[in-house]
PDB file of all heavy atoms in Angstrom:
ATOM      1  N   ILE A   1      14.918  30.651   5.251  1.00  0.00           N
ATOM      2  CA  ILE A   1      15.673  30.625   3.990  1.00  0.00           C
ATOM      3  C   ILE A   1      15.280  31.794   3.092  1.00  0.00           C
ATOM      4  O   ILE A   1      16.144  32.511   2.556  1.00  0.00           O
ATOM      5  CB  ILE A   1      15.450  29.286   3.262  1.00  0.00           C
ATOM      6  CG1 ILE A   1      16.023  28.135   4.082  1.00  0.00           C
ATOM      7  CG2 ILE A   1      16.099  29.318   1.877  1.00  0.00           C
ATOM      8  CD1 ILE A   1      15.677  26.763   3.539  1.00  0.00           C
ATOM      9  N   ALA A   2      13.972  31.990   2.947  1.00  0.00           N
ATOM     10  CA  ALA A   2      13.514  33.090   2.088  1.00  0.00           C
ATOM     11  C   ALA A   2      13.900  34.443   2.667  1.00  0.00           C
ATOM     12  O   ALA A   2      14.311  35.358   1.937  1.00  0.00           O
ATOM     13  CB  ALA A   2      11.990  33.007   1.918  1.00  0.00           C
ATOM     14  N   GLY A   3      13.791  34.577   3.986  1.00  0.00           N
ATOM     15  CA  GLY A   3      14.100  35.859   4.618  1.00  0.00           C
ATOM     16  C   GLY A   3      15.563  36.224   4.515  1.00  0.00           C
ATOM     17  O   GLY A   3      15.905  37.366   4.154  1.00  0.00           O
ATOM     18  N   THR A   4      16.452  35.276   4.831  1.00  0.00           N
ATOM     19  CA  THR A   4      17.887  35.573   4.782  1.00  0.00           C
ATOM     20  C   THR A   4      18.362  35.793   3.347  1.00  0.00           C
ATOM     21  O   THR A   4      19.115  36.727   3.059  1.00  0.00           O
ATOM     22  CB  THR A   4      18.705  34.433   5.423  1.00  0.00           C
ATOM     23  OG1 THR A   4      18.325  33.179   4.837  1.00  0.00           O
ATOM     24  CG2 THR A   4      18.491  34.378   6.913  1.00  0.00           C
ATOM     25  N   THR A   5      17.906  34.932   2.433  1.00  0.00           N
ATOM     26  CA  THR A   5      18.340  35.074   1.034  1.00  0.00           C
ATOM     27  C   THR A   5      17.781  36.354   0.419  1.00  0.00           C
ATOM     28  O   THR A   5      18.493  37.094  -0.274  1.00  0.00           O
ATOM     29  CB  THR A   5      17.894  33.855   0.209  1.00  0.00           C
ATOM     30  OG1 THR A   5      18.379  32.657   0.814  1.00  0.00           O
ATOM     31  CG2 THR A   5      18.420  33.950  -1.210  1.00  0.00           C
ATOM     32  N   GLY A   6      16.490  36.627   0.670  1.00  0.00           N
ATOM     33  CA  GLY A   6      15.887  37.845   0.123  1.00  0.00           C
ATOM     34  C   GLY A   6      16.544  39.103   0.661  1.00  0.00           C
ATOM     35  O   GLY A   6      16.815  40.042  -0.093  1.00  0.00           O
ATOM     36  N   LEU A   7      16.811  39.114   1.969  1.00  0.00           N
ATOM     37  CA  LEU A   7      17.465  40.280   2.564  1.00  0.00           C
ATOM     38  C   LEU A   7      18.879  40.448   2.023  1.00  0.00           C
ATOM     39  O   LEU A   7      19.322  41.576   1.741  1.00  0.00           O
ATOM     40  CB  LEU A   7      17.488  40.135   4.090  1.00  0.00           C
ATOM     41  CG  LEU A   7      18.112  41.285   4.889  1.00  0.00           C
ATOM     42  CD1 LEU A   7      17.408  42.616   4.565  1.00  0.00           C
ATOM     43  CD2 LEU A   7      18.043  41.002   6.386  1.00  0.00           C
ATOM     44  N   ALA A   8      19.600  39.318   1.864  1.00  0.00           N
ATOM     45  CA  ALA A   8      20.956  39.388   1.321  1.00  0.00           C
ATOM     46  C   ALA A   8      20.948  39.908  -0.113  1.00  0.00           C
ATOM     47  O   ALA A   8      21.799  40.722  -0.499  1.00  0.00           O
ATOM     48  CB  ALA A   8      21.610  38.012   1.388  1.00  0.00           C
ATOM     49  N   LEU A   9      19.983  39.473  -0.901  1.00  0.00           N
ATOM     50  CA  LEU A   9      19.886  39.960  -2.278  1.00  0.00           C
ATOM     51  C   LEU A   9      19.581  41.461  -2.306  1.00  0.00           C
ATOM     52  O   LEU A   9      20.138  42.210  -3.127  1.00  0.00           O
ATOM     53  CB  LEU A   9      18.791  39.192  -3.027  1.00  0.00           C
ATOM     54  CG  LEU A   9      19.131  37.767  -3.458  1.00  0.00           C
ATOM     55  CD1 LEU A   9      17.888  37.043  -3.963  1.00  0.00           C
ATOM     56  CD2 LEU A   9      20.221  37.781  -4.536  1.00  0.00           C
ATOM     57  N   TRP A  10      18.694  41.906  -1.423  1.00  0.00           N
ATOM     58  CA  TRP A  10      18.365  43.338  -1.360  1.00  0.00           C
ATOM     59  C   TRP A  10      19.584  44.160  -0.965  1.00  0.00           C
ATOM     60  O   TRP A  10      19.848  45.229  -1.545  1.00  0.00           O
ATOM     61  CB  TRP A  10      17.237  43.544  -0.356  1.00  0.00           C
ATOM     62  CG  TRP A  10      16.863  44.998  -0.198  1.00  0.00           C
ATOM     63  CD1 TRP A  10      16.172  45.773  -1.070  1.00  0.00           C
ATOM     64  CD2 TRP A  10      17.203  45.833   0.909  1.00  0.00           C
ATOM     65  NE1 TRP A  10      16.049  47.064  -0.589  1.00  0.00           N
ATOM     66  CE2 TRP A  10      16.681  47.124   0.641  1.00  0.00           C
ATOM     67  CE3 TRP A  10      17.881  45.630   2.100  1.00  0.00           C
ATOM     68  CZ2 TRP A  10      16.834  48.189   1.519  1.00  0.00           C
ATOM     69  CZ3 TRP A  10      18.036  46.691   2.981  1.00  0.00           C
ATOM     70  CH2 TRP A  10      17.510  47.956   2.684  1.00  0.00           C
ATOM     71  N   LEU A  11      20.353  43.656  -0.005  1.00  0.00           N
ATOM     72  CA  LEU A  11      21.580  44.356   0.399  1.00  0.00           C
ATOM     73  C   LEU A  11      22.612  44.346  -0.725  1.00  0.00           C
ATOM     74  O   LEU A  11      23.375  45.301  -0.885  1.00  0.00           O
ATOM     75  CB  LEU A  11      22.158  43.710   1.659  1.00  0.00           C
ATOM     76  CG  LEU A  11      21.334  43.895   2.941  1.00  0.00           C
ATOM     77  CD1 LEU A  11      21.880  43.022   4.060  1.00  0.00           C
ATOM     78  CD2 LEU A  11      21.340  45.366   3.371  1.00  0.00           C
ATOM     79  N   TRP A  12      22.639  43.252  -1.511  1.00  0.00           N
ATOM     80  CA  TRP A  12      23.585  43.177  -2.631  1.00  0.00           C
ATOM     81  C   TRP A  12      23.242  44.212  -3.699  1.00  0.00           C
ATOM     82  O   TRP A  12      24.142  44.806  -4.308  1.00  0.00           O
ATOM     83  CB  TRP A  12      23.550  41.767  -3.220  1.00  0.00           C
ATOM     84  CG  TRP A  12      24.347  41.623  -4.482  1.00  0.00           C
ATOM     85  CD1 TRP A  12      25.706  41.604  -4.611  1.00  0.00           C
ATOM     86  CD2 TRP A  12      23.815  41.480  -5.811  1.00  0.00           C
ATOM     87  NE1 TRP A  12      26.063  41.450  -5.923  1.00  0.00           N
ATOM     88  CE2 TRP A  12      24.921  41.367  -6.687  1.00  0.00           C
ATOM     89  CE3 TRP A  12      22.527  41.416  -6.332  1.00  0.00           C
ATOM     90  CZ2 TRP A  12      24.768  41.207  -8.055  1.00  0.00           C
ATOM     91  CZ3 TRP A  12      22.369  41.260  -7.696  1.00  0.00           C
ATOM     92  CH2 TRP A  12      23.486  41.162  -8.547  1.00  0.00           C
ATOM     93  N   THR A  13      21.935  44.438  -3.931  1.00  0.00           N
ATOM     94  CA  THR A  13      21.541  45.435  -4.927  1.00  0.00           C
ATOM     95  C   THR A  13      21.978  46.836  -4.525  1.00  0.00           C
ATOM     96  O   THR A  13      22.116  47.720  -5.368  1.00  0.00           O
ATOM     97  CB  THR A  13      20.012  45.435  -5.149  1.00  0.00           C
ATOM     98  OG1 THR A  13      19.348  45.734  -3.915  1.00  0.00           O
ATOM     99  CG2 THR A  13      19.547  44.081  -5.677  1.00  0.00           C
ATOM    100  N   SER A  14      22.183  47.038  -3.208  1.00  0.00           N
ATOM    101  CA  SER A  14      22.680  48.328  -2.722  1.00  0.00           C
ATOM    102  C   SER A  14      24.191  48.306  -2.514  1.00  0.00           C
ATOM    103  O   SER A  14      24.756  49.219  -1.913  1.00  0.00           O
ATOM    104  CB  SER A  14      21.994  48.681  -1.393  1.00  0.00           C
ATOM    105  OG  SER A  14      20.596  48.678  -1.525  1.00  0.00           O
ATOM    106  N   ASP A  15      24.826  47.237  -3.000  1.00  0.00           N
ATOM    107  CA  ASP A  15      26.275  47.066  -2.884  1.00  0.00           C
ATOM    108  C   ASP A  15      26.736  47.044  -1.413  1.00  0.00           C
ATOM    109  O   ASP A  15      27.811  47.521  -1.075  1.00  0.00           O
ATOM    110  CB  ASP A  15      27.012  48.182  -3.639  1.00  0.00           C
ATOM    111  CG  ASP A  15      28.434  47.762  -4.010  1.00  0.00           C
ATOM    112  OD1 ASP A  15      28.669  46.538  -4.126  1.00  0.00           O
ATOM    113  OD2 ASP A  15      29.295  48.644  -4.138  1.00  0.00           O
ATOM    114  N   ARG A  16      25.878  46.466  -0.549  1.00  0.00           N
ATOM    115  CA  ARG A  16      26.233  46.367   0.873  1.00  0.00           C
ATOM    116  C   ARG A  16      26.903  45.025   1.202  1.00  0.00           C
ATOM    117  O   ARG A  16      27.644  44.941   2.174  1.00  0.00           O
ATOM    118  CB  ARG A  16      24.975  46.530   1.736  1.00  0.00           C
ATOM    119  CG  ARG A  16      24.231  47.835   1.507  1.00  0.00           C
ATOM    120  CD  ARG A  16      25.045  49.017   1.992  1.00  0.00           C
ATOM    121  NE  ARG A  16      24.359  50.275   1.779  1.00  0.00           N
ATOM    122  CZ  ARG A  16      23.502  50.809   2.650  1.00  0.00           C
ATOM    123  NH1 ARG A  16      23.232  50.188   3.778  1.00  0.00           N
ATOM    124  NH2 ARG A  16      22.917  51.958   2.376  1.00  0.00           N
ATOM    125  N   VAL A  17      26.581  43.992   0.445  1.00  0.00           N
ATOM    126  CA  VAL A  17      27.206  42.683   0.655  1.00  0.00           C
ATOM    127  C   VAL A  17      27.657  42.125  -0.689  1.00  0.00           C
ATOM    128  O   VAL A  17      27.197  42.562  -1.750  1.00  0.00           O
ATOM    129  CB  VAL A  17      26.241  41.676   1.334  1.00  0.00           C
ATOM    130  CG1 VAL A  17      25.801  42.153   2.700  1.00  0.00           C
ATOM    131  CG2 VAL A  17      25.032  41.387   0.443  1.00  0.00           C
ATOM    132  N   SER A  18      28.543  41.138  -0.632  1.00  0.00           N
ATOM    133  CA  SER A  18      29.082  40.550  -1.854  1.00  0.00           C
ATOM    134  C   SER A  18      28.255  39.340  -2.276  1.00  0.00           C
ATOM    135  O   SER A  18      27.405  38.844  -1.527  1.00  0.00           O
ATOM    136  CB  SER A  18      30.537  40.120  -1.631  1.00  0.00           C
ATOM    137  OG  SER A  18      30.592  39.074  -0.659  1.00  0.00           O
ATOM    138  N   LEU A  19      28.554  38.834  -3.464  1.00  0.00           N
ATOM    139  CA  LEU A  19      27.899  37.609  -3.926  1.00  0.00           C
ATOM    140  C   LEU A  19      28.255  36.429  -3.021  1.00  0.00           C
ATOM    141  O   LEU A  19      27.438  35.552  -2.763  1.00  0.00           O
ATOM    142  CB  LEU A  19      28.319  37.308  -5.365  1.00  0.00           C
ATOM    143  CG  LEU A  19      27.711  38.200  -6.459  1.00  0.00           C
ATOM    144  CD1 LEU A  19      28.328  37.857  -7.812  1.00  0.00           C
ATOM    145  CD2 LEU A  19      26.205  38.018  -6.512  1.00  0.00           C
ATOM    146  N   GLY A  20      29.485  36.422  -2.551  1.00  0.00           N
ATOM    147  CA  GLY A  20      29.903  35.355  -1.648  1.00  0.00           C
ATOM    148  C   GLY A  20      29.098  35.356  -0.365  1.00  0.00           C
ATOM    149  O   GLY A  20      28.780  34.297   0.183  1.00  0.00           O
ATOM    150  N   ALA A  21      28.764  36.551   0.120  1.00  0.00           N
ATOM    151  CA  ALA A  21      27.959  36.642   1.349  1.00  0.00           C
ATOM    152  C   ALA A  21      26.567  36.059   1.121  1.00  0.00           C
ATOM    153  O   ALA A  21      26.004  35.407   2.013  1.00  0.00           O
ATOM    154  CB  ALA A  21      27.860  38.102   1.795  1.00  0.00           C
ATOM    155  N   ILE A  22      26.000  36.262  -0.071  1.00  0.00           N
ATOM    156  CA  ILE A  22      24.693  35.678  -0.384  1.00  0.00           C
ATOM    157  C   ILE A  22      24.771  34.159  -0.348  1.00  0.00           C
ATOM    158  O   ILE A  22      23.918  33.475   0.232  1.00  0.00           O
ATOM    159  CB  ILE A  22      24.197  36.155  -1.763  1.00  0.00           C
ATOM    160  CG1 ILE A  22      23.995  37.671  -1.767  1.00  0.00           C
ATOM    161  CG2 ILE A  22      22.907  35.436  -2.151  1.00  0.00           C
ATOM    162  CD1 ILE A  22      23.621  38.233  -3.123  1.00  0.00           C
ATOM    163  N   ALA A  23      25.830  33.627  -0.966  1.00  0.00           N
ATOM    164  CA  ALA A  23      26.010  32.170  -0.956  1.00  0.00           C
ATOM    165  C   ALA A  23      26.200  31.654   0.462  1.00  0.00           C
ATOM    166  O   ALA A  23      25.659  30.604   0.831  1.00  0.00           O
ATOM    167  CB  ALA A  23      27.211  31.797  -1.822  1.00  0.00           C
ATOM    168  N   LEU A  24      26.938  32.401   1.285  1.00  0.00           N
ATOM    169  CA  LEU A  24      27.207  31.973   2.652  1.00  0.00           C
ATOM    170  C   LEU A  24      25.937  31.940   3.495  1.00  0.00           C
ATOM    171  O   LEU A  24      25.644  30.937   4.167  1.00  0.00           O
ATOM    172  CB  LEU A  24      28.234  32.914   3.290  1.00  0.00           C
ATOM    173  CG  LEU A  24      28.563  32.648   4.763  1.00  0.00           C
ATOM    174  CD1 LEU A  24      29.212  31.292   4.929  1.00  0.00           C
ATOM    175  CD2 LEU A  24      29.461  33.750   5.320  1.00  0.00           C
ATOM    176  N   VAL A  25      25.162  33.029   3.471  1.00  0.00           N
ATOM    177  CA  VAL A  25      23.972  33.076   4.324  1.00  0.00           C
ATOM    178  C   VAL A  25      22.931  32.055   3.865  1.00  0.00           C
ATOM    179  O   VAL A  25      22.232  31.444   4.690  1.00  0.00           O
ATOM    180  CB  VAL A  25      23.365  34.498   4.362  1.00  0.00           C
ATOM    181  CG1 VAL A  25      24.370  35.492   4.930  1.00  0.00           C
ATOM    182  CG2 VAL A  25      22.879  34.944   3.000  1.00  0.00           C
ATOM    183  N   THR A  26      22.839  31.845   2.552  1.00  0.00           N
ATOM    184  CA  THR A  26      21.880  30.861   2.056  1.00  0.00           C
ATOM    185  C   THR A  26      22.284  29.453   2.473  1.00  0.00           C
ATOM    186  O   THR A  26      21.452  28.653   2.934  1.00  0.00           O
ATOM    187  CB  THR A  26      21.768  30.936   0.523  1.00  0.00           C
ATOM    188  OG1 THR A  26      21.382  32.261   0.148  1.00  0.00           O
ATOM    189  CG2 THR A  26      20.753  29.943   0.004  1.00  0.00           C
ATOM    190  N   ALA A  27      23.573  29.135   2.332  1.00  0.00           N
ATOM    191  CA  ALA A  27      24.056  27.789   2.690  1.00  0.00           C
ATOM    192  C   ALA A  27      23.882  27.526   4.181  1.00  0.00           C
ATOM    193  O   ALA A  27      23.428  26.443   4.577  1.00  0.00           O
ATOM    194  CB  ALA A  27      25.518  27.640   2.284  1.00  0.00           C
ATOM    195  N   LEU A  28      24.252  28.487   5.016  1.00  0.00           N
ATOM    196  CA  LEU A  28      24.130  28.273   6.461  1.00  0.00           C
ATOM    197  C   LEU A  28      22.676  28.242   6.904  1.00  0.00           C
ATOM    198  O   LEU A  28      22.310  27.466   7.802  1.00  0.00           O
ATOM    199  CB  LEU A  28      24.895  29.365   7.215  1.00  0.00           C
ATOM    200  CG  LEU A  28      26.422  29.249   7.178  1.00  0.00           C
ATOM    201  CD1 LEU A  28      27.065  30.399   7.950  1.00  0.00           C
ATOM    202  CD2 LEU A  28      26.881  27.919   7.755  1.00  0.00           C
ATOM    203  N   ALA A  29      21.833  29.060   6.294  1.00  0.00           N
ATOM    204  CA  ALA A  29      20.408  29.027   6.630  1.00  0.00           C
ATOM    205  C   ALA A  29      19.809  27.671   6.286  1.00  0.00           C
ATOM    206  O   ALA A  29      19.027  27.094   7.065  1.00  0.00           O
ATOM    207  CB  ALA A  29      19.665  30.134   5.895  1.00  0.00           C
ATOM    208  N   MET A  30      20.163  27.132   5.135  1.00  0.00           N
ATOM    209  CA  MET A  30      19.660  25.823   4.741  1.00  0.00           C
ATOM    210  C   MET A  30      20.176  24.732   5.673  1.00  0.00           C
ATOM    211  O   MET A  30      19.448  23.804   6.035  1.00  0.00           O
ATOM    212  CB  MET A  30      20.051  25.517   3.296  1.00  0.00           C
ATOM    213  CG  MET A  30      19.364  26.408   2.273  1.00  0.00           C
ATOM    214  SD  MET A  30      19.866  26.071   0.568  1.00  0.00           S
ATOM    215  CE  MET A  30      19.221  24.414   0.347  1.00  0.00           C
ATOM    216  N   ARG A  31      21.431  24.855   6.099  1.00  0.00           N
ATOM    217  CA  ARG A  31      21.991  23.850   7.010  1.00  0.00           C
ATOM    218  C   ARG A  31      21.309  23.906   8.374  1.00  0.00           C
ATOM    219  O   ARG A  31      21.021  22.865   8.982  1.00  0.00           O
ATOM    220  CB  ARG A  31      23.498  24.086   7.159  1.00  0.00           C
ATOM    221  CG  ARG A  31      24.200  23.072   8.045  1.00  0.00           C
ATOM    222  CD  ARG A  31      23.977  21.665   7.557  1.00  0.00           C
ATOM    223  NE  ARG A  31      24.609  20.695   8.420  1.00  0.00           N
ATOM    224  CZ  ARG A  31      24.215  19.439   8.564  1.00  0.00           C
ATOM    225  NH1 ARG A  31      23.151  19.023   7.894  1.00  0.00           N
ATOM    226  NH2 ARG A  31      24.842  18.616   9.360  1.00  0.00           N
ATOM    227  N   ILE A  32      21.032  25.104   8.853  1.00  0.00           N
ATOM    228  CA  ILE A  32      20.349  25.253  10.146  1.00  0.00           C
ATOM    229  C   ILE A  32      18.951  24.646  10.077  1.00  0.00           C
ATOM    230  O   ILE A  32      18.508  23.972  11.009  1.00  0.00           O
ATOM    231  CB  ILE A  32      20.295  26.734  10.549  1.00  0.00           C
ATOM    232  CG1 ILE A  32      21.696  27.222  10.933  1.00  0.00           C
ATOM    233  CG2 ILE A  32      19.333  26.957  11.711  1.00  0.00           C
ATOM    234  CD1 ILE A  32      21.794  28.718  11.126  1.00  0.00           C
ATOM    235  N   THR A  33      18.243  24.885   8.973  1.00  0.00           N
ATOM    236  CA  THR A  33      16.894  24.319   8.854  1.00  0.00           C
ATOM    237  C   THR A  33      16.937  22.797   8.777  1.00  0.00           C
ATOM    238  O   THR A  33      16.033  22.108   9.271  1.00  0.00           O
ATOM    239  CB  THR A  33      16.170  24.877   7.620  1.00  0.00           C
ATOM    240  OG1 THR A  33      16.906  24.545   6.428  1.00  0.00           O
ATOM    241  CG2 THR A  33      16.034  26.382   7.709  1.00  0.00           C
ATOM    242  N   GLN A  34      17.981  22.249   8.157  1.00  0.00           N
ATOM    243  CA  GLN A  34      18.112  20.799   8.096  1.00  0.00           C
ATOM    244  C   GLN A  34      18.280  20.184   9.482  1.00  0.00           C
ATOM    245  O   GLN A  34      17.871  19.056   9.732  1.00  0.00           O
ATOM    246  CB  GLN A  34      19.302  20.413   7.212  1.00  0.00           C
ATOM    247  CG  GLN A  34      19.073  20.669   5.734  1.00  0.00           C
ATOM    248  CD  GLN A  34      20.327  20.487   4.904  1.00  0.00           C
ATOM    249  OE1 GLN A  34      21.413  20.214   5.422  1.00  0.00           O
ATOM    250  NE2 GLN A  34      20.194  20.643   3.599  1.00  0.00           N
ATOM    251  N   MET A  35      18.886  20.936  10.390  1.00  0.00           N
ATOM    252  CA  MET A  35      19.129  20.423  11.737  1.00  0.00           C
ATOM    253  C   MET A  35      18.019  20.795  12.711  1.00  0.00           C
ATOM    254  O   MET A  35      18.071  20.418  13.880  1.00  0.00           O
ATOM    255  CB  MET A  35      20.462  20.958  12.269  1.00  0.00           C
ATOM    256  CG  MET A  35      21.677  20.472  11.501  1.00  0.00           C
ATOM    257  SD  MET A  35      23.220  20.991  12.274  1.00  0.00           S
ATOM    258  CE  MET A  35      23.063  22.756  12.202  1.00  0.00           C
ATOM    259  N   SER A  36      17.024  21.522  12.248  1.00  0.00           N
ATOM    260  CA  SER A  36      15.976  21.967  13.162  1.00  0.00           C
ATOM    261  C   SER A  36      15.197  20.797  13.749  1.00  0.00           C
ATOM    262  O   SER A  36      14.678  20.879  14.867  1.00  0.00           O
ATOM    263  CB  SER A  36      15.014  22.919  12.444  1.00  0.00           C
ATOM    264  OG  SER A  36      14.331  22.249  11.393  1.00  0.00           O
ATOM    265  N   GLY A  37      15.113  19.715  12.999  1.00  0.00           N
ATOM    266  CA  GLY A  37      14.417  18.540  13.509  1.00  0.00           C
ATOM    267  C   GLY A  37      15.114  17.888  14.681  1.00  0.00           C
ATOM    268  O   GLY A  37      14.493  17.149  15.456  1.00  0.00           O
ATOM    269  N   TRP A  38      16.428  18.137  14.827  1.00  0.00           N
ATOM    270  CA  TRP A  38      17.172  17.542  15.940  1.00  0.00           C
ATOM    271  C   TRP A  38      16.636  18.025  17.276  1.00  0.00           C
ATOM    272  O   TRP A  38      16.511  17.249  18.220  1.00  0.00           O
ATOM    273  CB  TRP A  38      18.651  17.895  15.822  1.00  0.00           C
ATOM    274  CG  TRP A  38      19.357  17.218  14.701  1.00  0.00           C
ATOM    275  CD1 TRP A  38      18.794  16.432  13.721  1.00  0.00           C
ATOM    276  CD2 TRP A  38      20.750  17.257  14.418  1.00  0.00           C
ATOM    277  NE1 TRP A  38      19.762  15.995  12.861  1.00  0.00           N
ATOM    278  CE2 TRP A  38      20.960  16.478  13.240  1.00  0.00           C
ATOM    279  CE3 TRP A  38      21.845  17.876  15.003  1.00  0.00           C
ATOM    280  CZ2 TRP A  38      22.228  16.304  12.680  1.00  0.00           C
ATOM    281  CZ3 TRP A  38      23.094  17.698  14.452  1.00  0.00           C
ATOM    282  CH2 TRP A  38      23.292  16.933  13.302  1.00  0.00           C
ATOM    283  N   GLY A  39      16.338  19.318  17.345  1.00  0.00           N
ATOM    284  CA  GLY A  39      15.816  19.849  18.606  1.00  0.00           C
ATOM    285  C   GLY A  39      14.478  19.229  18.970  1.00  0.00           C
ATOM    286  O   GLY A  39      14.212  18.925  20.135  1.00  0.00           O
ATOM    287  N   PHE A  40      13.650  19.019  17.953  1.00  0.00           N
ATOM    288  CA  PHE A  40      12.357  18.365  18.162  1.00  0.00           C
ATOM    289  C   PHE A  40      12.544  16.931  18.655  1.00  0.00           C
ATOM    290  O   PHE A  40      11.943  16.505  19.650  1.00  0.00           O
ATOM    291  CB  PHE A  40      11.566  18.411  16.860  1.00  0.00           C
ATOM    292  CG  PHE A  40      10.366  17.522  16.844  1.00  0.00           C
ATOM    293  CD1 PHE A  40       9.359  17.672  17.791  1.00  0.00           C
ATOM    294  CD2 PHE A  40      10.234  16.532  15.872  1.00  0.00           C
ATOM    295  CE1 PHE A  40       8.238  16.842  17.775  1.00  0.00           C
ATOM    296  CE2 PHE A  40       9.130  15.704  15.855  1.00  0.00           C
ATOM    297  CZ  PHE A  40       8.133  15.870  16.800  1.00  0.00           C
ATOM    298  N   ASN A  41      13.396  16.174  17.962  1.00  0.00           N
ATOM    299  CA  ASN A  41      13.636  14.790  18.363  1.00  0.00           C
ATOM    300  C   ASN A  41      14.293  14.698  19.735  1.00  0.00           C
ATOM    301  O   ASN A  41      13.985  13.806  20.527  1.00  0.00           O
ATOM    302  CB  ASN A  41      14.517  14.091  17.319  1.00  0.00           C
ATOM    303  CG  ASN A  41      13.822  13.906  15.998  1.00  0.00           C
ATOM    304  OD1 ASN A  41      12.604  13.746  15.959  1.00  0.00           O
ATOM    305  ND2 ASN A  41      14.560  13.951  14.905  1.00  0.00           N
TER     306      ASN A  41
END
């Protein structure tokens, strides 16, 4: 979560990605981490 969001914010400061892209990568990263326990179980 920290890596994807931080990288997206850094790219946004260079006008490489949009605000929507930051929201997208953060939301999907959080969703993936929520499901990470499924593989363990």
